[in-house]
Each structure stands twice: as structure tokens, then as C-alpha cells.
């Protein structure tokens, strides 16, 4: 591959996904390095005052300041955009920075948002707590019910915001229906695709306008750094999102960008193996626990829709036991699986959502979302699934199941 091949869309868009994940966006310096270089610099120098003036005016391409662009960060943005099937991408410091930027960059006082009621706790906090402070109205709905999306539309509805699968209830949203509905009404769809990444689901192919990620999760995939990303049209990213990001500063560091670049190289392999492992673990748990929320199982009420939209079931699912006491007993009895509120890791992790990821959500909202005191979320990693099953078996027995 030549120095600039990785940034030539006329070439890279013809590559298949696994190749894009390894090579897309790569730009090599004059040293000809094989692995992407880390440009650990806050600023840049210029040969003349006219050059820097032209760059700040947008008349000349090139770096100006690392809050606006950085070579390592730019490589990651191009790779994620290409993998998503998007025209452009901007990365952020964290997943929640990505969600906040994707939403607030386009919302103003008097606008209305329709949001899925089942969501990550901090995303639900944005809708319930932050938006009202700025005069942004919102309606939360059961996003599984297509009729509720249409019924919630108002003359001032600006955005549809949802996750699919939802965290941690694993609700599946009909991407094609919701995106088509939004397009007919001139509403922008913002889809949180962190549970899948482009390796399993590409919302833009179903008509989504904006896709947001916690790249901390599967994109890094090894619990090392925080990162976020937003993809969409060049017009949205450059003219709507970028002014907000440039002036508020939720930027990703070059080092963290480099780590995520390395993670993307193995994304396809990791996600597919973790999905296989998660299905085996889910099959073991089915019938052993009172309730399981796993889109890869035929017992999931939206199993067929999930199979239509997703290339595999994913590495994350949830299940329910009797109550908080039994959930805590199960967690405490684990010997191999870690107690952790993170997901997308190559290690298997489990948490009690009501007391961690959704602690900031009111008890009433948790009940509405379906996040019960007995719910546990499991991220299945790359370990041998039989070892995970044996660990769960002994923990379940100790918890009285």
C-alpha cells in the first residue's frame, strides 16, 4: 500500500469491511512506518503567516491546532466513517461526549426530541434532566412500538434518538421503519450503535442520518481508553457538528485515537467470536434464570427483527433473577467473570444496572424502562465459553438458582 492509499476513497470504498478495519484511513509519513504514527502535539508550525491564515480561513488544507484536527485523529475518523458507510466522522473524548455533541449541536430552545425510553442511564439523563434546562422538549416512548413513534411527532420535532439494541434491556428498534418515518417528516435520526458497531449493524444502510458511538466499548475492545465517535453526511459533520465541537472542545487525544485504531484492526474477529460465545452462554442460561433478554435466542420477542438488522447477536445481553439481594449474591459468587460496569471488553464482565449504569435514573424511569432490581447485564468476552458457563453455574447455585 502506498503512503496515501488509505485516504483515497476511490480505492478504500471498494475494500471489504475487514480490510477497511485494518487499512482505511492510514496515512504514512515520509518515514514509511507500517503502524500509524502518534502525533503527540497540541499545535503545528507554519512556513509563513499567509499559510496559517489560509488554513484558518479554510482556503488551504492542513493542520492548525489539535483541538480542530490532528493527523492520528484524522486517520481514525476516516476509518470509522468508511466502515460505517458515512461521508464523514468526528471523534470525541468519550462516548457520552459523542452523544451530547451529536444532539446539542443541532438542538435549540423550543425544539422537540422523541427518544426511546430504554437507554443507557446517562443518555436518559440527557433527555430527562439536561434538555429541559435549555428549553428543549422531549417525549420518551416504547421504541419497540412503531405506532408510538408516529404518535409522538409534533410540529417542532427535530430529532429521533434511540439505541438498538437498548442498554440493558436489549429492546430492538425497527431501523428501517423509524428512519423512513423520520425522513418523511424532515426529522433527523440519531442512532446509538455502540452495542453493535459497524461489524454487526450499519444504521446508515437503513436510512439513519447520524450514528453515535462509545468507541470505549467494542472499537477499543480491551478496556484501555475512553473515546467516542459521530458519523454522518459531510454537511452535517462539517457544518453542524464541527462548529459545536470546535468551540466546546470534547476532543479525543492522539494517543487514545491510536489505541482505537489498533482495536479496529481486530474488531471483526473479536465481535464475531464474542457473539458466538454469547449465544452459547445465553443458551445455557435460558431456562436456568427467570428471564433472559438475548436477541440471538428465539425466545426474544424481537428475535426475527434483530436477525434482519444485525449480522450476529452481539456480545452483550441481560437476564433477571428474583431481586437485588439475589443479584448481588450471584455477582459476589463469580470466580472468573469480573464485576464491572464496562462493556465491549475482551474480558467477560457483569454488572447490576439499577445500582450502577442506571443509578442516576429515577426509580420511576427505571421501572418504565424495564430495568428491574433483579436485572444483571453480561458482557461475554473471548474466554472459552465453557469456562464462563462453569463459572455461572457455580455462582447461580450459590445464589440459590
Amino acid at each position: 500500500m502506498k503512503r496515501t492509499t488509505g485516504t483515497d476513497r476511490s480505492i478504500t470504498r471498494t475494500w471489504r469491511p475487514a480490510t477497511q478495519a485494518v487499512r482505511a484511513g492510514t496515512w504514512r509519513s515520509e518515514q514509511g512506518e507500517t503502524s500509524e504514527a502518534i502525533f503527540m502535539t497540541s499545535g503545528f508550525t507554519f512556513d509563513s503567516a499567509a499559510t496559517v491564515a489560509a488554513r484558518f480561513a479554510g482556503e488551504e488544507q492542513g493542520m492548525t491546532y489539535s483541538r480542530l484536527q490532528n493527523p492520528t485523529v484524522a486517520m481514525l475518523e476516516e476509518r470509522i466513517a468508511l466502515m460505517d458507510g458515512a461521508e464523514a466522522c468526528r471523534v470525541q473524548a468519550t462516548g457520552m461526549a459523542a452523544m451530547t455533541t451529536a444532539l446539542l449541536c443541532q438542538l435549540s430552545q423550543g425544539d422537540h426530541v422523541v427518544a426511546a425510553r430504554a437507554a443507557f442511564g446517562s443518555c436518559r439523563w440527557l433527555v430527562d434532566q439536561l434538555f429541559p434546562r435549555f428549553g428543549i422538549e422531549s417525549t420518551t416512548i416504547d421504541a419497540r412500538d412503531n405506532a408510538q413513534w408516529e404518535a409522538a411527532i409534533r410540529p417542532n420535532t427535530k430529532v429521533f434518538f434511540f439505541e438498538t439494541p437498548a442498554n440493558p434491556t436489549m429492546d430492538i428498534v425497527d431501523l428501517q421503519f423509524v428512519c423512513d418515518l423520520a425522513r418523511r417528516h424532515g426529522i433527523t435520526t440519531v442512532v446509538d450503535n455502540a452495542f453493535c458497531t459497524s461489524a454487526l449493524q450499519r444504521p446508515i444502510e437503513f436510512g439513519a442520518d447520524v450514528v453515535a458511538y462509545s468507541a470505549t466499548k467494542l472499537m477499543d475492545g480491551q478496556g484501555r481508553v475512553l473515546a467516542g465517535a459521530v458519523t454522518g453526511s459531510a454537511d452535517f459533520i462539517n457544518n453542524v457538528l464541527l462548529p459545536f465541537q470546535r468551540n466546546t472542545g470534547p476532543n479525543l487525544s492522539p494517543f487514545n485515537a491510536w489505541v482505537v485504531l489498533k482495536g479496529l484492526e481486530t474488531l471483526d474477529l473479536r465481535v464475531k467470536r464474542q457473539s458466538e460465545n454469547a449465544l452459547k452462554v445465553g443458551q445455557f442460561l435460558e431456562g436456568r434464570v427467570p428471564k433472559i433478554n438475548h436477541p440471538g435466542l428465539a425466545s426474544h420477542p424481537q428475535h426475527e427483527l434483530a436477525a434482519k438488522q444485525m449480522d450476529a447477536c452481539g456480545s452483550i445481553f441481560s437476564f433477571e433473577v428474583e431481586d437485588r439481594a439475589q443479584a448481588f449474591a450471584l455477582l459476589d459468587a463469580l470466580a472468573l467473570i469480573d464485576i464491572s460496569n464496562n462493556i465491549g471488553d475482551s474480558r467477560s464482565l457483569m454488572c447490576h444496572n439499577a445500582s450502577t449504569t442506571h443509578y442516576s435514573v429515577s426509580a420511576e424511569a427505571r421501572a418504565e424502562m424495564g430495568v428491574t432490581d433483579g436485572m444483571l447485564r453480561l458482557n461475554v468476552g473471548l474466554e472459552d465459553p465453557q469456562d464462563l458457563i462453569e463459572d455461572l453455574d457455580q455462582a447461580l447455585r450459590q445464589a440459590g438458582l
Side-chain angles (χ1 to χ4, degrees):
M1 190 174 85
K2 306 304 182 185
R3 280 183 56 194
T4 59
T5 300
T7 58
D8 186 342
R9 281 282 183 105
S10 69
I11 297 172
T12 59
R13 67 174 172 233
T14 68
W15 291 344
R16 292 165 181 81
T19 304
Q20 291 174 343
V22 176
R23 299 254 186 192
T26 298
W27 170 87
R28 289 179 175 141
S29 75
E30 65 278 4
Q31 305 303 323
E33 63 279 352
T34 53
S35 181
E36 296 83 3
I38 307 176
F39 287 83
M40 291 298 293
T41 181
S42 57
F44 304 88
T45 61
F46 311 91
D47 290 337
S48 70
T51 297
V52 65
R55 290 187 185 180
F56 270 87
E59 299 166 355
E60 179 181 304
Q61 292 295 313
M63 300 294 133
T64 56
Y65 188 62
S66 277
R67 182 162 51 83
L68 283 74
Q69 65 268 110
N70 173 280
T72 310
V73 173
M75 286 189 270
L76 175 61
E77 290 171 338
E78 175 64 11
R79 184 171 298 179
I80 293 174
L82 198 65
M83 292 171 67
D84 243 24
E87 292 179 350
C89 169
R90 281 282 169 169
V91 292
Q92 292 79 29
T94 68
M96 281 313 302
M99 303 302 155
T100 305
T101 300
L103 293 165
L104 288 185
C105 75
Q106 60 180 313
L107 293 170
S108 302
Q109 183 179 5
D111 287 339
H112 174 247
V113 176
V114 181
R117 69 186 187 189
F120 176 54
S122 294
C123 290
R124 185 63 191 258
W125 182 90
L126 290 178
V127 173
D128 292 346
Q129 303 295 326
L130 185 65
F131 287 178
R133 299 181 192 177
F134 296 95
I136 300 167
E137 302 172 342
S138 62
T139 301
T140 55
I141 62 167
D142 182 347
R144 298 168 296 182
D145 184 351
N146 288 347
Q148 291 194 30
W149 285 102
E150 191 152 18
I153 295 173
R154 302 178 188 174
N156 61 333
T157 301
K158 187 75 176 290
V159 168
F160 282 173
F161 177 46
F162 60 94
E163 309 168 8
T164 183
N167 182 3
T169 58
M170 306 307 293
D171 292 0
I172 307 295
V173 179
D174 188 333
L175 279 166
Q176 192 71 65
F177 175 87
V178 175
C179 293
D180 286 349
L181 176 66
R183 193 65 56 88
R184 291 198 300 271
H185 289 270
I187 297 166
T188 300
T189 46
V190 177
V191 182
D192 178 350
N193 197 37
F195 266 37
C196 289
T197 74
S198 61
L200 296 184
Q201 179 174 265
R202 290 160 294 281
I204 286 175
E205 293 181 358
F206 294 88
D209 298 299
V210 180
V211 183
Y213 291 99
S214 172
T216 307
K217 308 304 188 291
L218 290 165
M219 289 188 182
D220 169 27
Q222 290 154 83
R224 299 170 296 190
V225 298
L226 299 177
V230 180
T231 68
S233 69
D235 179 63
F236 177 84
I237 296 297
N238 296 328
N239 299 321
V240 180
L241 184 141
L242 181 56
F244 180 92
Q245 181 168 348
R246 179 175 61 238
N247 292 295
T248 58
N251 299 78
L252 184 65
S253 77
F255 178 78
N256 285 14
W258 181 83
V259 172
V260 178
L261 276 167
K262 297 298 101 183
L264 289 176
E265 292 180 3
T266 59
L267 177 67
D268 186 68
L269 296 172
R270 286 186 287 104
V271 171
K272 288 178 179 176
R273 175 57 65 86
Q274 287 178 249
S275 294
E276 292 172 2
N277 289 353
L279 185 57
K280 292 176 181 177
V281 173
Q283 289 167 340
F284 161 75
L285 286 170
E286 190 171 31
R288 183 72 180 271
V289 296
K291 182 180 180 182
I292 185 167
N293 308 303
H294 192 311
L297 298 174
S299 59
H300 191 285
Q302 296 171 291
H303 170 69
E304 291 185 7
L305 178 60
K308 178 182 176 181
Q309 297 180 172
M310 299 165 62
D311 293 339
C313 65
S315 62
I316 305 151
F317 64 90
S318 62
F319 62 93
E320 296 183 35
V321 295
E322 184 176 340
D323 52 24
R324 179 178 291 220
Q326 191 170 56
F328 278 24
L330 195 158
L331 286 170
D332 290 345
L334 293 170
L336 174 61
I337 299 169
D338 289 309
I339 303 173
S340 175
N341 57 288
N342 195 21
I343 53 173
D345 201 297
S346 57
R347 304 161 189 81
S348 292
L349 312 171
M350 192 187 295
C351 79
H352 179 255
N353 294 98
S355 61
T356 57
T357 62
H358 289 66
Y359 176 77
S360 63
V361 179
S362 69
E364 293 77 14
R366 287 200 300 271
E368 175 193 61
M369 296 163 71
V371 180
T372 68
D373 272 352
M375 179 174 282
L376 292 163
R377 188 190 64 197
L378 176 59
N379 169 85
V380 178
L382 292 171
E383 303 95 342
D384 188 298
Q386 192 56 43
D387 287 328
L388 300 175
I389 288 169
E390 290 174 5
D391 190 33
L392 285 165
D393 180 55
Q394 63 84 25
L396 287 164
R397 282 187 277 106
Q398 289 194 58
L401 289 162

